[in-house]
Amino acid sequence: MPIREVRPKLTLVVRMVASVGNYDYIFDYEFETDGLMRPKVGLSGILMVKGTTYENKNQVKKDKEGNEEELYGTILSENVIGVIHDHYVTFYLDLDVDGLDNSFVKVNLKRQETKPGQIKLSLYDPSEFHVINSGKTTRVGNPTGYKIVPRATAASLLDHDDPPQKRGAFTNNQIWATPYNMSEQWGGGFFTYQSHGDDTLAVWSERDRDIENKDIVVWYTLGFHHIPCQEDFPIMPTVSSSFDLKPTNFFERNPILQASPYFERDLPVCGTESVSA
């Protein structure tokens, strides 16, 4: 028989905005009716700029080989350069899938346990990254779990021995897995700008602790390479990226099928209203 029933997908959005220096960071946590969770980061605000004597790109000096002087940025307006920079936001994911005894696995054609729990994303190594509870299974025997679905991210261009990269070594990989430890909650340590890189996620991971059937934490880092353009000045449009936490054999079937269908009268309707002063 023809199927005549549909259900609109509803999303609950929990938003937080943090102003840090010259930037506004918009954090959205989207919770969808099919069990999917999508953390999303939006960047907006005022660019970091520096002054210059140049008013036009044609004025930039060139050497004998014709190479332009390195400006480390883009001329956005007369006498203004927008500086090239990066943004990294690390998410601390204490998932506790069906309890505390979780394992982090990298799934290729067959399940493979990853050690030591550090992942660099690669387009030429298609994989899935699951947090599972092998002690809890579905009726057909699959371990319950959630998987991380990566999206666009950026790897640091700094050398690992550079002091800034030692402090921000959590950007060396996009995905990490460590045992839960109450004192290990900030990927860059408590005082990133004042540290020597001795209390970071990279250091904790090198302790090579067991992450199989343990209370574990998965860390995911969103990265942005920002080469400013004129549209970003003086106030930039929001640039955003996200990743998904998707149920993988966590439910016995599509959970939306258990929900009652929605009708127009049940949904909130937004409109305009004139208010007299």
Side-chain angles (χ1 to χ4, degrees):
M1 295 181 63
I3 298 176
R4 302 182 183 278
E5 179 183 303
V6 297
R7 291 174 173 83
K9 195 172 186 179
L10 300 184
T11 302
L12 169 66
V13 180
V14 179
R15 169 168 288 188
M16 181 191 78
V17 179
S19 295
V20 183
N22 54 312
Y23 263 89
D24 295 327
Y25 293 86
I26 305 164
F27 296 92
D28 286 342
Y29 294 88
E30 301 178 359
F31 299 90
E32 302 190 356
T33 47
D34 60 358
L36 185 143
M37 297 177 282
R38 176 175 294 131
K40 185 176 181 180
V41 179
L43 280 62
S44 186
I46 308 297
L47 281 177
M48 179 185 294
V49 299
K50 64 180 181 179
T52 179
T53 58
Y54 300 130
E55 294 185 353
N56 191 286
K57 195 173 186 299
N58 295 331
Q59 300 172 338
V60 178
K61 298 176 182 177
K62 297 182 179 179
D63 60 21
K64 295 179 180 180
E65 286 75 30
N67 299 314
E68 287 187 347
E69 174 190 349
E70 181 56 68
L71 301 179
Y72 303 102
T74 306
I75 296 177
L76 304 178
S77 186
E78 292 79 2
N79 309 116
V80 177
I81 292 177
V83 181
I84 296 172
H85 58 282
D86 294 337
H87 299 266
Y88 292 99
V89 181
T90 292
F91 288 84
Y92 175 94
L93 308 173
D94 186 8
L95 296 179
D96 294 344
V97 177
D98 266 351
L100 298 180
D101 294 335
N102 289 181
S103 299
F104 178 69
V105 296
K106 180 182 177 184
V107 179
N108 295 320
L109 294 179
K110 61 179 181 179
R111 199 184 89 182
Q112 173 184 327
E113 296 184 3
T114 51
K115 296 179 180 180
Q118 305 173 10
I119 301 293
K120 283 186 176 67
L121 299 181
S122 172
L123 294 175
Y124 302 101
D125 181 23
S127 305
E128 292 188 351
F129 311 101
H130 295 201
V131 176
I132 65 168
N133 189 329
S134 57
K136 301 289 182 66
T137 59
T138 63
R139 71 179 188 278
V140 295
N142 294 312
T144 59
Y146 261 75
K147 68 179 177 181
I148 297 173
V149 183
R151 295 184 185 273
T153 188
S156 175
L157 300 178
L158 297 178
D159 189 274
H160 285 191
D161 293 328
D162 287 345
Q165 190 61 24
K166 285 183 177 180
R167 294 193 293 269
F170 59 89
T171 63
N172 290 348
N173 301 289
Q174 288 78 49
I175 300 176
W176 306 73
T178 61
Y180 172 80
N181 187 313
M182 187 179 297
S183 66
E184 299 174 2
Q185 295 191 13
W186 312 102
F190 282 112
F191 303 104
T192 304
Y193 287 106
Q194 301 176 31
S195 78
H196 298 286
D198 51 358
D199 185 32
T200 70
L201 176 56
V203 173
W204 308 333
S205 181
E206 289 300 322
R207 294 171 183 167
D208 199 23
R209 295 163 292 179
D210 191 10
I211 56 172
E212 183 176 359
N213 296 325
K214 302 290 183 182
D215 186 5
I216 63 173
V217 174
V218 177
W219 311 72
Y220 183 83
T221 297
L222 278 177
F224 301 80
H225 290 314
H226 190 177
I227 301 176
C229 58
Q230 288 184 240
E231 289 81 359
D232 294 336
F233 185 78
I235 299 176
M236 61 175 287
T238 300
V239 176
S240 62
S241 187
S242 63
F243 67 99
D244 289 350
L245 294 171
K246 189 177 187 304
T248 306
N249 304 312
F250 188 80
F251 300 102
E252 293 289 351
R253 60 184 65 81
N254 184 345
I256 295 180
L257 300 179
Q258 299 176 355
S260 301
Y262 297 105
F263 297 96
E264 184 176 356
R265 65 177 180 271
D266 300 323
L267 301 176
V269 178
C270 299
T272 59
E273 181 179 353
S274 60
V275 179
S276 58

